[in-house]
Amino acid sequence: MKITVRQADESDLPALLALYGELNPDDAPLPQASAHDVWERISRQRGRTVLVADAAGTLVGTADCLVMPNLTRGGRAILFVENVVVAGAAQRRGVGRLLMDAAFHLAATEGCYKVQLLAADDAYVHTFYEACGFRAAAQGFRRYVS
């Protein structure tokens, strides 16, 4: 299976929503009109790149990347990665690695000094990110807004 990683566009929205359904299966599907409104905001957001892994026209993975300008580290930005998903049928075929390689390339192109992400509390996921060069270097915290 030949995989191409590219920037998502609006025509990818249905496939992205399906992938996000695999990431968060308990979430109610986002209504189409809402999804288009959110996509419009994402596409206009400076520094935002939604990467997709495309296998002959079928999206098999995605990673949402955001370059955040920064006043420390000599003004070098940080790349945050969120909502990484590889379709169940495409797992363990290098798709996730290709997405992470593309995220690192994006970070280098944008002059970022680091790539940062939060990972699920899952040993398999941690092993994957460590194999991609990430190190558990801090304790993450989150507080959900109801």
Side-chain angles (χ1 to χ4, degrees), residues 9-80:
D9 61 40
E10 188 170 5
S11 69
D12 296 316
L13 191 53
L16 281 169
L17 293 174
L19 286 168
Y20 294 145
E22 288 192 42
L23 178 65
N24 297 305
D26 295 334
D27 284 0
L30 193 60
Q32 198 69 19
S34 297
H36 282 285
D37 289 345
V38 172
W39 178 259
E40 191 60 34
R41 289 195 311 269
I42 288 170
S43 65
R44 287 193 315 260
Q45 189 174 8
R46 190 170 165 199
R48 185 85 173 264
T49 304
V50 178
L51 298 171
V52 291
D54 186 321
T58 300
L59 295 193
V60 294
T62 185
D64 193 347
C65 301
L66 176 65
V67 175
M68 185 181 83
N70 181 31
L71 289 171
T72 67
R73 303 293 181 164
R76 294 178 69 199
I78 302 164
L79 182 90
F80 289 92

Side-chain angles (χ1 to χ4, degrees), residues 1-9 12 49-65 85-86 93-106:
M1 160 172 45
K2 181 176 180 342
I3 307 293
T4 303
V5 176
R6 60 174 175 78
Q7 185 170 342
D9 61 40
D12 296 316
T49 304
V50 178
L51 298 171
V52 291
D54 186 321
T58 300
L59 295 193
V60 294
T62 185
D64 193 347
C65 301
V85 189
V86 173
R93 295 188 177 151
V95 174
R97 173 65 79 152
L98 289 171
L99 287 164
M100 290 300 100
D101 288 349
F104 281 115
H105 178 75
L106 178 61

